[in-house]
Amino acid sequence: SYNRGVVLCEEYFGPLTGEKMANIVEEHFPNAFANSIDPVGKRVLMDNCPRQNCRAAMRAYEKVNARVFTIPARSPDLNPIENFFHLVSKQLDQEAIEKNIS
């Protein structure tokens, strides 16, 4: 959403399975959509992780009326989460320098 979307960070234990992904979608996406800049649009951008587009997860997206967009394979410039993690990493590095954290 051009720097105005929602990043959902939800802790889970063990490997991420399709069922876990479906549970995360059903339990947390409605609130994430409500807090986004366009709560009516209900857009989800995902990479090609098999857990994100398995049958259970796709049913969960349908259940919460999400519009799913996928990023083409091997297109890092189109992957906003990679850009987001780069910005966070850069900020943490700068903070470590400023606070003399080793």
Side-chain angles (χ1 to χ4, degrees), residues 11-100:
E11 183 177 20
Y12 61 90
F13 299 95
L16 179 62
T17 63
E19 291 74 26
K20 279 185 189 176
M21 184 67 200
N23 287 336
I24 290 170
V25 169
E26 290 177 19
E27 291 178 28
H28 301 286
F29 277 37
N31 188 42
F33 290 140
N35 289 311
S36 73
I37 190 69
D38 181 13
V40 177
K42 297 184 179 181
R43 294 183 199 102
V44 175
L45 181 64
M46 64 179 184
D47 58 17
N48 290 308
C49 173
R51 280 72 154 193
Q52 292 178 346
N53 57 22
C54 71
R55 190 171 301 142
M58 295 308 281
R59 280 195 297 260
Y61 295 128
E62 287 177 17
K63 196 178 216 179
V64 297
N65 297 316
R67 293 175 55 202
V68 177
F69 297 89
T70 56
I71 297 168
R74 296 181 180 81
S75 57
D77 292 339
L78 297 177
N79 192 341
I81 196 65
E82 295 299 331
N83 295 325
F84 174 78
F85 286 141
H86 172 74
L87 292 173
V88 169
S89 176
K90 216 165 125 177
Q91 185 175 351
L92 289 172
D93 288 346
Q94 182 63 35
E95 186 177 333
I97 290 168
E98 289 171 2
K99 294 182 177 180
N100 201 21

